[in-house]
Amino acid sequence: MKIYRTSMYLILFFMVSGFILLLLCFLDYKNILSHLLTVITGILFSFGLLGYSFYLLKKRKEGKGIYWGPDGIVVDLKDNKIYWDEIEDIKFYNGRGGKSTVIYPHYTNHEKIRIRHKKWLPTTAHSIDWFSIEEPRDMHTNLMKAWKERKCEEPKL
């Protein structure tokens, strides 16, 4: 079982963006009082970017990521799992936002998954964005192989 962890490029992007934004807030320190609302908003946003980058780094060091086993697929960093028998289809999506692997659970399982994942609203599809993980093409290829093997094992009605 291979774990596809969060991409270091994504973590570094958020970290560098947060530091640059923080530096920009204090660039014009002489006129800081005249633009106080803008500076406070920039500081809060930069702390949000930095906080998220450290969160992703922590999860990466913990070994969290996307993986699958005999019972299902872990779809996020909180170890939320979609079981194989709940999945209707897995597809590749190439849109304006980038490439992703989308897992579609059967509509009868949406409420069960919502309760198990402790969400407010059910999710009709679980998207794994390629820019957020390492080796996304390898992940998609291996996941599709595992999915085809699972579909062949299921009894046909």
Side-chain angles (χ1 to χ4, degrees), residues 40-133:
I40 290 173
T41 304
I43 290 171
L44 291 176
F45 193 67
S46 68
F47 282 158
L49 288 172
L50 288 170
Y52 190 59
S53 69
F54 288 122
Y55 167 78
L56 291 176
L57 188 61
K58 176 185 168 203
K59 291 295 184 179
R60 182 181 166 87
K61 286 183 180 180
E62 290 174 359
K64 303 279 183 176
I66 308 297
Y67 63 93
W68 53 90
D71 51 345
I73 305 168
V74 174
V75 293
D76 60 16
L77 298 176
K78 297 177 184 172
D79 286 335
N80 288 326
K81 188 176 281 191
I82 307 293
Y83 295 108
W84 290 113
D85 60 345
E86 297 172 336
I87 298 172
E88 184 174 11
D89 200 8
I90 300 174
K91 292 183 179 177
F92 169 75
Y93 177 75
N94 188 6
R96 288 185 185 208
K99 298 176 183 177
S100 61
T101 300
V102 184
I103 301 166
Y104 296 98
H106 195 269
Y107 73 93
T108 58
N109 297 313
H110 289 177
E111 187 65 17
K112 188 173 25 171
I113 294 168
R114 181 195 70 80
I115 293 168
R116 189 174 60 238
H117 292 188
K118 298 179 179 114
K119 301 280 185 180
W120 284 44
L121 296 170
T123 305
T124 58
H126 301 271
S127 178
I128 302 169
D129 297 320
W130 281 24
F131 69 84
S132 66
I133 59 171

Side-chain angles (χ1 to χ4, degrees), residues 17-29 39:
S17 298
F19 279 125
I20 289 173
L21 187 58
L22 191 61
L23 289 174
L24 287 175
C25 288
F26 295 108
L27 192 62
D28 190 18
Y29 64 91
V39 171

